[in-house]
Amino acid sequence: MTYTVNGRRFAEEPGPGQCLRTFLRSLGQYGVKKGCDAGDCGACTVWLDGDPVHSCITPAFRADGHEVTTIEGLGSPGTLHPMQRQFRDAPGFQCGFCTAGMIMTSATFTEAQKADLPRALKGNLCRCTGYRGIEDAVKGVTGLETAAPGKAVGTSVGAPAGNEVVTGRAEFTMDTHLDGMLHLKVVHSPHAHARIASIDKTAALAVPGVHRVYTWEDVPNRRFTTAIHTDHLVDPDDTRILDDTVRFVGQRVVAVLADTVAAAEEGCRKVVVEYEPLPAVFDPEEAMAEGAPPLHGSHDPFVRDPAHNILLELHGHVGDVEAGFAEADVVHEGTYFSPRVQHAHLETHGSIAWMADGRLNVRTSSQSPSIAKAKLGYLFALRPDQLRVFCTRVGGGFGGKQEVISEDLVALATLDTGRPVCFEFTREEEFTTASPRHPMSLTVKLGAKADGTLTAIQVRNVSNTGAYGNHGGETLYAGGAAVMIYRCPNKKYDAYSVYTNTVPSGALRGYGMTQPAYAVESAMDELARAAHIDPLALRRRNLVRPGDPLIAMSAGPDDVSFSEDGLAKCLDLVEEALARTADEPSPGPGWLVGTGVASSLHETAPPTEHVSEAWVTLGDDLVYELAVGTVEFGEGTSTAHVQIAANQLGTTPSRIRLVQSDTDRTGFDTGAFASAGLFVAGNAVLRAANAVRDRILEFAAAHTGVHLVLCSLHDEGVVCGERRLSLAELVALARARGIRFTAARKAYGSPRSVTSNTQGFRIAVHRVTGEIRILHSVQATDAAVVINPAQVRGQVEGGVAQGIGFALTENHHVDTHGVMVNPNFRNYRIPTYADVPRTEVLLVESSDSVGPLRSKGMAECCINPVAPALANALHDATGVRFRALPLTPERIYRRLNESRSVPAA
């Protein structure tokens, strides 16, 4: 067979049954990505004789004698194809993992296809952008700007890796191959709860190419938590690398190491495991009941009540809620349910480990290499100098990679064999073994006077943490933000994080606030209607104001600065935007139209300690090197950090060379989560850049004899009074004296501030089919000083798109035996281009008190008000209240036909 790939001929033979995707990657074409291996996502799109195909479902032999073009063959960083340039300049990407496939599909479009993108792009998924940036890219709309020296902040400059992303040269975790690399695959439990009676490795070890079969007897007997936080004590040490007891369907039981993925998979099929099934419990209320089967013993003192499967419970109050309800004229009570939701980042979890100079190196798709390193050091008794953990570009995260769930096994196997080891999750493993959003059931009781003044708020939150407690406690604390948004003298918050025999829950964008926001904002709408008050008027009457204490569970002091009235401004902007479309006609007969609004507050850093260190150095090449540990996975921190540094150093982003997310080359960084990538790491970058600027100016002032206040730093050098010194002169003079212009600075996640968001929807609901059409989507956000307007807009659009999926289509279906029955994109249904409307993004003019250059992070908070705003719009249109998500057409159809309260069309 002969293959022509990007104009180059190859004589390699594919393996029996090998797909074109894996064959092309074996030839070094790493721009061909794996997102699903089922033809659902389009990340693997290539051209076969000029026609786009999904290479994951195209047999490699079909390319014999044909011309294959991958993203690498479309153009290079120096000679971009027009579509590559358009995706760079729109910008049409965030994490960039789907971008190669998007470009390969879009570059073939006719004008007719460009006019019908819902159909033309149906085979390509993006989880980050919300698709507006992709539409702009396809249509040639440019959104980038050029920053003048020292004026980078406030400018929509492009991502530092833009050229590499659009040409497929940007390296993601799995885009490499090491000589002698072995592959690891895992045997997963078919039982929700069982004790392992025996494991027979004999047949597996006899499979050609299999080197090792690891069981619970072969791993360090150390308990840990997979969750990533600076303070590991906030999460329970209830997990082992491999265990002799399994607590959910999908838990890993055995790891098989082999020369190839196929041999490792065959080895997994040959392992014989005998289980002793144990009673299982899937509902958290049942798990807390007397006599429920216990999942864990009392090994970890952090576990609150192992006999009742309670990981943690919180009880807090201010005032007297019973007295508050007694004085209320109107009381509303309802229970609201938010199901599991998967992150569905296009790049699955994966890690590669190898030994070099006696040190363990781990390349991984993590949101925190620093803490992953600490966990691996603990598990395998390694000193910090014996271990390096780093990330290349990461293909999406959203909190899903705030876990150590692939690094430990590759470290184990490499330390054992001395050989490089690769472990990459399948898409099914993402759905069945990675940590989704916590299902939460919240009972909300609200009391108000006739004029709408709240007299009492009471919330009971039952959170299903699954089989293990990673993030179970911290997400429970976070839910208080939904309560603190409103003034009320009497508040009560009771919350329980409960173990069940289901996949462990984890961190997902919004982190414990999205579910309570859905409940509280839905309940506020119901209270308003019961009191015959406009829902916006009810919110305005009760919103917290600058200077008010942010009270959820206690009136004790905290470190949150609340000095900007962004929330009221957000409400005003959304109300005005919705009013502009109020008179637009409905789609036609049979459609019911309604509007809905919801708001949220979000703290700009987590309450537990968050630390980041940044290093800035002026090199001999006159480029400033910025080293910061924060990972880039589409949240845009790398661009913002470069802008902050360029702004303070009086230069342009092109003069900043970024080094990031490598424990050998950067300082400690807690991680890119909870919006801390901008808030904490951004402050570290700001301080380090300022320190280098000051050192340069002090040196120049001393050298010229000009007073420091008369010296200023510019792009090419320093002006001291009437004298100009180039950077080249200054560096040479400093070198001669043994001086380097370099500085390191740290920042911490305290004090914190809050950001505000209000989401509005105008929707149409078909009274027969239950279909929802979003006619207008608008979100107002308090971003304070905007570092990069295009990025802020993109983050909000992406968050709204995810929130729409969370509210309307996505559900982690688990059957009565604890088995997830839809572990693929096709049946799980994340939003496609056709599902996501353009969202109008409105920015409140404000200024933060503690953020870098008075800015706030925007990547996380924008998702919180989306689901309740949709639910409120649905009620406004139909008169029927839905208190459980998702709002699927079949559920809406059933309720509309059951209800007599639906108005005539």
Side-chain angles (χ1 to χ4, degrees), residues 27 41 58 89 159 275 377 388 486 515 607 739:
L27 299 178
C41 75
T58 302
D89 294 346
Y275 299 91
R388 173 199 180 200
Y486 296 113
Q515 307 94 314
I739 296 172

Side-chain angles (χ1 to χ4, degrees), residues 45-58:
T45 302
V46 300
W47 291 353
L48 197 58
D49 291 336
D51 294 323
V53 299
H54 289 183
S55 61
C56 70
I57 55 172
T58 302

Side-chain angles (χ1 to χ4, degrees), residues 40-41 87 102 106 109 113-127 129-139 774 801 804 829-838:
D40 293 334
C41 75
F87 266 78
M102 285 284 183
S106 302
F109 285 169
Q113 287 174 304
K114 290 179 183 179
D116 189 11
L117 289 181
R119 177 178 296 274
L121 281 175
K122 65 181 181 180
N124 291 80
L125 297 176
C126 176
R127 189 57 156 170
T129 64
Y131 296 102
R132 190 273 314 162
I134 291 169
E135 178 185 334
D136 284 355
V138 173
K139 296 183 176 180
I774 298 175
I804 289 171
R829 284 276 290 119
I830 69 171
T832 67
Y833 176 93
D835 298 317
V836 179
R838 280 207 172 210

Side-chain angles (χ1 to χ4, degrees), residues 252 263 460 723:
R252 59 195 195 188
R460 181 179 185 269
R723 187 169 175 185

Side-chain angles (χ1 to χ4, degrees), residues 374-391:
K375 286 186 181 292
L376 293 176
Y378 161 74
L379 286 171
F380 299 104
L382 298 174
R383 300 188 310 271
D385 63 308
Q386 295 176 302
L387 178 60
R388 173 199 180 200
V389 178
F390 71 100
C391 301

Side-chain angles (χ1 to χ4, degrees), residues 609-880:
E609 184 180 10
H610 206 107
V611 185
S612 184
E613 183 175 10
W615 306 337
V616 174
T617 302
L618 177 59
D620 292 341
D621 58 357
L622 307 185
V623 173
Y624 295 94
E625 182 171 280
L626 167 61
V628 61
T630 305
V631 178
E632 175 60 60
F633 54 90
E635 80 283 23
T637 52
S638 60
T639 313
H641 292 163
V642 166
Q643 288 182 259
I644 291 169
N647 203 77
Q648 301 311 103
L649 293 165
T651 189
T652 60
S654 63
R655 291 277 300 278
I656 307 293
R657 179 171 53 243
L658 182 64
V659 177
Q660 60 186 147
S661 56
D662 186 332
T663 60
D664 268 12
R665 302 180 63 196
T666 61
F668 182 88
D669 187 277
T670 296
F673 53 86
S675 299
L678 177 70
F679 179 73
V680 184
N683 266 326
V685 170
L686 176 71
R687 293 169 188 175
N690 285 345
V692 168
R693 177 199 62 196
D694 294 346
R695 289 187 181 186
I696 294 172
L697 291 175
E698 289 164 3
F699 181 87
H703 176 72
T704 60
V706 176
H707 197 283
L708 181 61
V709 297
L710 300 177
C711 297
S712 57
L713 179 63
H714 299 282
D715 191 29
E716 300 297 333
V718 175
V719 176
C720 290
E722 300 297 321
R723 187 169 175 185
R724 291 177 176 271
L725 293 171
S726 70
L727 285 179
E729 290 177 85
L730 287 168
V731 169
L733 288 167
R735 286 292 191 199
R737 302 180 191 180
I739 296 172
R740 295 178 68 220
F741 297 127
T742 185
R745 292 292 185 271
K746 293 180 180 178
Y748 300 87
S750 181
R752 302 173 291 150
S753 58
V754 296
T755 188
S756 313
N757 301 76
T758 297
Q759 174 71 38
F761 285 109
R762 181 171 178 265
I763 68 170
V765 185
H766 198 279
R767 59 178 298 125
V768 175
T769 66
E771 177 190 352
I772 288 179
R773 290 187 187 174
I774 298 175
L775 307 178
H776 188 192
S777 169
V778 56
Q779 184 167 131
T781 185
D782 174 16
V785 173
V786 176
I787 301 293
N788 188 306
Q791 282 198 168
V792 167
R793 180 184 177 189
Q795 290 298 324
V796 173
E797 290 169 335
V800 173
Q802 275 193 319
I804 289 171
F806 167 47
L808 300 185
T809 63
E810 298 178 44
N811 199 354
H812 196 282
H813 289 286
V814 176
D815 68 14
T816 56
H817 302 288
V819 178
M820 191 205 179
V821 298
N822 58 326
N824 53 64
F825 282 143
R826 189 164 302 182
N827 295 318
Y828 178 74
R829 284 276 290 119
I830 69 171
T832 67
Y833 176 93
D835 298 317
V836 179
R838 280 207 172 210
T839 291
E840 182 180 2
V841 179
L842 305 173
L843 303 179
V844 168
E845 293 185 8
S846 70
S847 178
D848 193 52
S849 56
V850 291
L853 298 176
R854 300 188 174 276
S855 66
K856 297 178 182 180
M858 281 291 104
E860 187 172 19
C861 52
C862 45
I863 196 173
N864 293 334
V866 176
L870 273 170
N872 291 339
L874 178 58
H875 180 268
D876 187 52
T878 65
V880 179

